[in-house]
Amino acid sequence: MLRPLLFAILCLTFGLVLQARPAHALECDDQNPDYCAKCEDLEKAYKGKDLNTILVRGRSVWTPLYAAYFKDCPKIAVRYLELGANPAVGGMEGDMLATVISWDRWEVEKRSLWVKMLVLAGARLDAPPITKRTTRERLMQEYGKRDDIMALIKVAEQNGG
């Protein structure tokens, strides 16, 4: 009789703790980098963390580098790359270079700066970042020869990618 009551109390207590957790989920930290308002906040969220940590949310692979891209923090991205962040991993399905090339959130000129940064740090069009498809295969299969895609592939090629 005491055991079922104790079990019920534990379940209720645990349930209340789980219900309180979503409020924390709205804070800027390494588990919720998309909630960071400024580059400085993002930098604090990852301070002291492994720069190659992966957090999968839906089809997006969040890494500190991808978070810097998502929040448009190129200075932080350069620092992360200098400290050893993998330039190929992050973004949609884990392909950072394909994400930067294909996601038309900015004009080609701005994206080309990110492409150059990633390629100079070691990202490659013809290497698979974390899946079997290479970045080039992914881009051609999913987006075809869209003008911006082709222009950014050319930027990558011209910079050794």
Side-chain angles (χ1 to χ4, degrees):
M1 180 91 164
L2 187 57
R3 269 192 175 154
L5 181 61
L6 183 57
F7 180 75
I9 291 171
L10 285 173
C11 287
L12 285 174
T13 303
F14 187 65
L16 292 175
V17 170
L18 287 179
Q19 289 175 1
R21 184 134 169 77
H24 169 72
L26 301 178
E27 296 176 19
C28 166
D29 60 20
D30 63 319
Q31 299 297 302
N32 300 291
D34 48 331
Y35 285 103
C36 298
K38 299 180 287 186
C39 294
E40 296 81 23
D41 298 335
L42 183 69
E43 194 168 26
K44 287 177 189 173
Y46 285 111
K47 187 174 178 121
K49 305 287 183 182
D50 178 359
L51 293 178
N52 288 304
T53 297
I54 292 175
L55 172 67
V56 178
R57 292 167 82 193
R59 294 178 63 210
S60 293
V61 174
W62 286 83
T63 62
L65 182 61
Y66 175 63
Y69 174 72
F70 186 84
K71 288 298 182 177
D72 191 24
C73 302
K75 290 180 183 175
I76 293 173
V78 167
R79 192 168 323 121
Y80 288 166
L81 290 166
E82 289 171 347
L83 294 171
N86 186 336
V89 178
M92 294 303 289
E93 297 181 15
D95 193 329
M96 187 69 184
L97 189 55
T99 299
V100 171
I101 290 173
S102 65
W103 190 10
D104 58 0
R105 67 186 293 198
W106 297 310
E107 297 298 320
V108 170
E109 184 177 331
K110 186 172 186 175
R111 285 187 283 159
S112 71
L113 298 174
W114 283 91
V115 168
K116 287 178 192 176
M117 181 192 319
L118 295 174
V119 167
L120 292 173
R124 297 291 176 258
L125 290 167
D126 295 317
I130 60 175
T131 60
K132 292 182 181 183
R133 284 194 296 177
T134 68
T135 298
R136 188 185 307 267
E137 289 170 336
R138 177 183 306 282
L139 291 168
M140 290 300 100
Q141 290 170 2
E142 293 180 19
Y143 302 98
K145 295 189 175 188
R146 208 169 76 190
D147 289 344
D148 61 330
I149 301 283
M150 298 312 294
L152 291 165
I153 285 175
K154 186 174 182 178
V155 169
E157 292 170 339
Q158 290 170 340
N159 287 279

